[in-house]
Amino acid sequence: AVVSTQSTGMQEAETASDETAIVHYHEEEAVYISAQTDRVTVIFSTLFKDPDDIVIGKVFLQEFKDARKAHQQAPQVLFSYGEPPAELSGQPNLLRGDNIGYVTFVLFPRHTTPANRDNTINLIHQFRTYLHYHIKCSKAYLHSRMRSKTSEFLKVLNRAKPEAMTEKKFGVGKRV
């Protein structure tokens, strides 16, 4: 509803809003939405609870950002870790730290036209779920690959065991 209100305001009025709408959608996470005359900026703060999530999240978001080169109609995507983006300067209670990520979507008028508005809002609304789902799937894939490689290495080690040494007799009572 907030994105719809902000994008409708951008389409109908040619004035920028100094207000940034803040939606706390998850514990310690929020979405910041601000409308200017030529764009709507949506910034997600995301808390990563696992150090592996940070690494996988960085790779995923870099690919997300690079995908814009192939799809020129996609919104601009920016991300930062640790420090909030400059657009949020002056906002109270911003989280900082190595496990905090900020993802910024810059929506232009082509994304907020009446024909595209509902689809854009749906995609933005589901972004956090989409991000964390892909991080978990990536971790599950990496773990399955590690288990597979471990199984292969164990098979190699088992084949490398020396065969039981046969006893050779060297005379009476002597064995080697």
Side-chain angles (χ1 to χ4, degrees), residues 16-169:
S17 171
D18 289 337
E19 279 189 41
T20 298
I22 302 171
V23 178
H24 295 281
Y25 65 95
H26 203 263
E27 63 180 76
E28 299 185 26
E29 296 179 359
V31 178
Y32 304 88
I33 305 166
S34 63
Q36 289 81 31
T37 55
D38 60 340
R39 67 184 170 273
V40 174
T41 305
V42 180
I43 302 171
F44 285 85
S45 67
T46 303
L47 179 66
F48 295 105
K49 296 184 179 183
D50 185 24
D52 295 337
D53 290 356
I54 296 169
V55 174
I56 295 171
K58 283 181 183 181
V59 172
F60 182 78
L61 289 171
Q62 183 63 47
E63 290 295 322
F64 210 73
K65 180 180 173 184
D66 292 344
R68 185 166 193 264
K69 294 174 186 170
H71 306 284
Q72 292 300 314
Q73 296 299 315
Q76 182 178 8
V77 179
L78 306 167
F79 63 93
S80 62
Y81 285 90
E83 289 297 318
E87 293 90 355
L88 294 180
S89 62
Q91 292 293 330
N93 304 323
L94 292 175
L95 297 176
R96 289 173 169 76
D98 292 338
N99 63 336
I100 303 295
Y102 289 92
V103 183
T104 304
F105 291 94
V106 181
L107 305 173
F108 295 105
R110 68 177 173 264
H111 302 115
T112 58
T113 62
N116 295 333
R117 185 178 302 139
D118 288 342
N119 186 43
T120 301
I121 291 169
N122 271 341
L123 294 173
I124 290 292
H125 173 261
Q126 297 171 359
F127 174 72
R128 182 193 182 273
T129 306
Y130 179 83
L131 174 65
H132 286 279
Y133 169 79
H134 280 82
I135 288 172
K136 286 181 182 181
C137 286
S138 296
K139 286 171 70 172
Y141 175 74
L142 289 173
H143 286 142
S144 72
R145 294 285 300 156
M146 287 190 293
R147 281 191 298 273
S148 172
K149 281 293 183 186
T150 302
S151 177
E152 287 178 30
F153 290 145
L154 284 173
K155 288 177 185 175
V156 170
L157 285 174
N158 287 335
R159 283 193 307 258
K161 283 185 181 176
E163 293 182 23
M165 295 181 67
T166 57
E167 293 183 12
K168 295 182 180 177
K169 295 184 179 179

Side-chain angles (χ1 to χ4, degrees), residues 3-23:
V3 176
S4 178
T5 304
Q6 293 283 359
S7 65
T8 303
M10 181 186 86
Q11 292 294 324
E12 295 171 358
E14 293 298 321
T15 59
S17 171
D18 289 337
E19 279 189 41
T20 298
I22 302 171
V23 178

